Amino acid sequence: MEQRKGIWLAVAAYFVWGVGPIFWNTLSTVPALQVLGHRIVWSVPILFAIIAGRGRLSSLRSAFRTPGTARTALAGGVLLAFNWGVFVWAVTSDHIVDASLGYFINPLVSVALGVIVLREHLSTAQRIAVAIAAVGVAGMTIVAGVVPWISLALAFSFAAYGLLKKRSNAAPPFEGLFMETAFVAAPALLYLAVVAGEGDGAFGSSPTITLLLIAAGAYTVTPLVLFAAAARQIPLSLLGILQYIAPTMHLIIGVVVFDEVISGGEWFGFFMVWVALIVYTVDNARTIRRAESAMS
């Protein structure tokens, strides 16, 4: 029963992330940097309310007072803001398909960073999977004549963010996310104040835009809360498989709803990345089954 509930929570989280292009396109008339600023600023009070409601304020104070934890959170905040900003710009500038590819590549980039930075061991199948994905990205670059920088920026920034979360001095999930957004909220507020002072601020320009900018914080935090609840109830391996719901929805929405065209080079890249993900997922499932058999 608990696992079934966890699966539905995970599906809900990935669904909310998956329809992101539709939500963020309601703000397509607002400069992406302003959307990012409001996304950060309005997330802070929501996260604080969640932490207070969970009785974790003492844990939050302790995390802020620990220099190493604070530095990790600051780095995480910069990476998260960069990732959010690139994604918002991409999905509001007719690059939803590129954003989709970025999140398909992300797990494989995380694997590669684990090997390079953490000296983690890869099986033969996992090495093959990473190599296939690299061939796909290289093939896209050659065919299109342009490096898929949006996809790579999203994949590497989120993979690097995940790597920070594995550090021993990283704060607990909600405390860490609050600290990350709080650290980048100050420059975000300053930027929004300057823009408003110059008369170019979108906030207050219309009731609809104002409400949507405020809602950006809730839209950002909601799937994170659902994901955190799901992670406590289902295995990480199952979470990993379900994560492909979001980029698959991005791809479908980009093509069907926003009429984006996928070039031959992009199809090649997607095909190679999908093959790589199948190889990696099958190998990972076999590893988990062997571990479970050994324990029984």
Side-chain angles (χ1 to χ4, degrees):
M1 190 66 181
E2 283 296 309
Q3 180 159 319
R4 183 181 300 175
K5 181 182 177 182
I7 291 172
W8 281 112
L9 286 168
V11 169
Y14 289 125
F15 178 83
V16 175
W17 275 318
V19 297
I22 295 175
F23 176 80
W24 298 116
N25 265 282
T26 62
L27 289 164
S28 59
T29 58
V30 180
L33 204 54
Q34 287 192 45
V35 175
L36 173 62
H38 284 284
R39 185 177 184 179
I40 293 168
V41 168
W42 293 109
S43 293
V44 172
I46 297 173
L47 287 166
F48 183 82
I50 291 172
I51 293 169
R54 289 166 57 89
R56 302 281 297 177
L57 289 178
S58 59
S59 173
L60 180 62
R61 284 192 293 269
S62 176
F64 268 114
R65 291 169 180 167
T66 306
T69 300
R71 285 193 296 269
T72 296
L74 175 58
V78 172
L79 284 170
L80 205 56
F82 176 79
N83 183 273
W84 286 353
V86 172
F87 182 76
V88 169
W89 179 85
V91 301
T92 57
S93 304
D94 301 322
H95 291 288
I96 298 172
V97 170
D98 293 325
S100 169
L101 178 62
Y103 287 111
F104 275 118
I105 296 173
N106 170 249
L108 298 168
V109 173
S110 294
V111 171
L113 287 180
V115 173
I116 296 169
V117 180
L118 302 178
R119 306 298 183 192
E120 294 178 348
H121 173 72
L122 286 188
S123 67
T124 301
Q126 290 171 332
R127 289 175 184 168
I128 291 172
V130 173
I132 291 172
V135 169
V137 173
M140 280 182 66
T141 302
I142 293 169
V143 173
V146 178
V147 175
W149 69 268
I150 295 172
S151 304
L152 294 176
L154 289 171
F156 275 90
S157 60
F158 203 70
Y161 175 74
L163 192 63
L164 279 178
K165 289 295 190 181
K166 292 182 74 69
R167 296 187 63 165
S168 59
N169 62 5
F174 283 114
E175 289 90 324
L177 187 60
F178 174 82
M179 293 172 70
E180 290 155 5
T181 51
F183 278 131
V184 293
L189 267 174
L190 178 61
Y191 164 73
L192 292 174
V194 170
V195 170
E198 294 175 347
D200 296 324
F203 191 81
S205 60
S206 77
T208 301
I209 291 296
T210 300
L211 286 173
L212 285 170
L213 287 172
I214 294 173
Y219 189 84
T220 297
V221 172
T222 297
L224 292 168
V225 173
L226 292 169
F227 178 84
R232 291 195 296 268
Q233 298 179 39
I234 61 176
L236 190 60
S237 57
L238 182 54
L239 267 180
I241 293 172
L242 292 173
Q243 74 176 314
Y244 299 116
I245 292 173
T248 300
M249 289 180 66
H250 294 164
L251 178 61
I252 294 170
I253 289 170
V255 174
V256 176
V257 179
F258 294 101
D259 298 318
E260 290 191 17
V261 177
I262 303 180
S263 67
E266 287 174 324
W267 275 124
F268 173 78
F270 271 109
F271 174 75
M272 295 298 283
V273 168
W274 286 331
V275 170
L277 289 173
I278 291 170
V279 171
Y280 176 76
T281 302
V282 169
D283 180 73
N284 192 49
R286 286 175 178 169
T287 301
I288 291 169
R289 278 199 300 270
R290 284 196 295 268
E292 289 174 345
S293 297
M295 292 174 64
S296 60

